[in-house]
Amino acid sequence: MRLPIRVHRARSGPEEIRVIRPASPPTRTVLVDHDRHLHVYLDQAGARLLGGLWLLAARSARSLIHLPLRGGPRPAAHGEPGRRLDLVLLHHSRQFRPSRWRRVRAKLDTGLPQTASLPEAARLGEVAVDHAARHHRENRDRFRQRIHAETLFLIGSAPVFRETAGRFLDVAEHGPRHASTHPGRPGLRTAFHSTDGTLADGREIHVEYCAEWEPSGSTG
């Protein structure tokens, strides 16, 4: 998998902060705060992109992976979408404080284009997942959540990013067919549940494929 990206930098005192964004942000992907849970609505391209960014986060311990999502259209079947958020994927070893994000975001340069080479989707089946270990108290391979400056920070380790990337790639592969064979029903879904050992804190994250979207500019 080859993923076009832009690599941005910002100075914060003596420190240079590296931020990676997709070269072309998704046009039909939104992250919505529904109070009791967080919900990602996306199409096939958005699901494929998020899977790629998850894999990129697994190997980019010194970078912030930023996905601007607040400006896109809304899925046609879901009415008022609630509060929209951007997304940052962050390796826990980076120890970046989300409270700094607003200032860093404002200082980012225009970025340089690059292409990231990532594992093919078929190889993700080779990733060994110890499901029992996820529930051990000392397990550090779980996501932590913070919200700051209209942005959800999903903070985790390389293993948890790598092991869960396939959830998005499965939606990308099977979502369109599910929509065509189940018209009028909710789209194919996956989730990060409070009981599956992937979340250390925060709310569940639901991910749903959506085939129909409002015209661009119809953000409610």
Side-chain angles (χ1 to χ4, degrees), residues 3 40 42 61 79 117 123 126 129 142 173 184 214:
L3 181 65
V40 181
L42 38 66
S117 296
R123 292 176 55 192
E126 303 170 7
V129 180
R142 292 185 288 182
E173 181 178 359
E214 299 287 350

Side-chain angles (χ1 to χ4, degrees), residues 32-39 145 192 194 199 202-206:
V32 181
D33 185 340
H34 281 309
D35 292 331
R36 297 182 66 179
H37 71 276
L38 301 162
H39 207 122
Q145 301 173 20
F192 297 81
S194 57
L199 300 178
R203 291 168 287 170
E204 292 185 351
I205 303 172
H206 298 189

